[in-house]
């Protein structure tokens, strides 16, 4: 059975990358193979997670000239079919999205269309949700298009906000109850579609 070759793009601690790696190890993520990790920040915790899992990892600093060209070259070199943004905090240009032929999916730590778009990332998303007083938040996996957090939604999961929550406690609950479950499931769903297409072309 053919599988989709997956690249995971990361910027931070990499707990969502870990959820993907664990899902692959248990056989739940089975239609795709994590073939490359790309970190846009030297020293990101996610790099050590990739190394421990023996997945090739390219560190391409976002601030350096030619960032997107270098990422596209790495994706092509590793014959990547789909990209997963797992705590990747940069915004990819429309040109990049047009030039990468496969799907790109992203996990966002809120229920889109709330608390999303340019400037909403990481703990700031949870801070905004708490400032607003929402009682329910969650996570969303969506396709990436040229509008930040604007692509078609693949999956969402709601999570309760509890009295006394801080951005940190809320972030942790959203990760545990939503992100780490939703992202591997959505990656498997998209990978299965690609694997099926590859089989048909044989
Ligand atoms: C996650 O909560 C992810 O949803 C969020 O950053 C965190 C990264 O954690 N992503 C965004 O805010 C993207 N807009 P991780 O590095 O431990 O996976």
């Amino acid at each position: 059975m053919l599988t989709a070759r997956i690249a995971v793009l990361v910027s931070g601690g990499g707990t969502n990358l870990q959820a993907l790696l664990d899902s692959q190890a248990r056989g739940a993520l089975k239609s795709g193979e994590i073939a490359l990790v790309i970190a846009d920040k030297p020293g990101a915790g996610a790099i050590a997670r990739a190394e421990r899992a023996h997945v090739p990892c390219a560190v391409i600093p976002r601030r350096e000239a030619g960032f997107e060209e270098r990422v596209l070259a790495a994706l092509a070199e590793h014959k990547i079919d789909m990209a997963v943004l797992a705590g990747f905090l940069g915004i990819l240009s429309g040109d990049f999205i047009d030039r990468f032929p496969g799907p790109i999916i992203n996990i966002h730590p809120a229920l889109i269309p709330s608390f999303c778009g340019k400037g909403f990332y990481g703990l700031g998303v949870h801070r905004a949700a708490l400032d607003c007083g929402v009682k329910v938040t969650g996570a969303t996996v969506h396709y990436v298009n040229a509008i930040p957090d604007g692509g078609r939604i693949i999956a969402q999961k709601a999570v309760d906000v509890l009295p006394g929550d801080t951005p940190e406690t809320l972030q942790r609950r959203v990760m545990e109850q939503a992100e780490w479950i939703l992202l591997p499931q959505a990656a498997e769903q998209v990978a299965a579609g690609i694997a099926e297409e590859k089989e048909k072309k044989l």
Side-chain angles (χ1 to χ4, degrees), residues 6-201:
I6 302 174
V8 185
L9 275 63
V10 295
S11 302
T15 64
N16 279 289
L17 166 65
Q18 192 64 54
L20 290 162
L21 291 166
D22 292 348
S23 177
Q24 177 172 271
R26 316 192 272 284
L29 174 53
K30 57 180 191 305
S31 305
E33 175 201 344
I34 302 169
L36 177 65
V37 170
I38 298 179
D40 68 350
K41 254 195 208 150
I47 298 168
R49 295 181 192 269
E51 283 167 359
R52 270 202 300 277
H54 307 290
V55 176
C57 183
V59 181
I60 307 176
R62 201 193 318 157
R63 291 178 205 296
E64 286 182 7
F67 169 72
E68 289 195 343
E69 289 298 330
R70 292 170 66 193
V71 173
L72 284 166
L75 295 173
E77 184 192 335
H78 289 264
K79 300 188 168 32
I80 297 302
D81 297 305
M82 64 180 271
V84 179
L85 312 188
F88 176 76
L89 303 183
I91 292 180
L92 297 168
S93 72
D95 176 62
F96 179 97
I97 293 160
D98 288 345
R99 287 169 64 195
F100 178 63
I104 307 174
I105 67 172
N106 177 49
I107 178 97
H108 183 72
L111 294 174
I112 289 174
S114 292
F115 312 116
C116 65
K118 201 165 185 287
F120 283 95
Y121 59 88
L123 268 184
V125 175
H126 303 292
R127 204 170 289 123
L130 290 173
D131 285 349
C132 196
V134 293
K135 305 302 175 213
V136 174
T137 183
T140 303
V141 181
H142 63 93
Y143 287 104
V144 172
N145 66 10
I147 302 162
D149 298 326
R152 193 160 58 84
I153 290 172
I154 301 168
Q156 286 188 307
K157 193 163 189 291
V159 174
D160 285 337
V161 178
L162 299 182
D165 260 339
T166 62
E168 289 79 7
T169 60
L170 185 56
Q171 178 182 55
R172 182 75 193 180
R173 188 173 321 107
V174 169
M175 284 176 159
E176 285 177 354
Q177 295 185 6
E179 295 186 45
W180 300 339
I181 301 164
L182 217 53
L183 186 59
Q185 283 176 352
E188 168 58 24
Q189 184 185 320
V190 174
I194 293 172
E196 204 176 306
E197 287 304 313
K198 280 186 165 184
E199 295 277 349
K200 274 190 211 155
K201 280 186 197 147

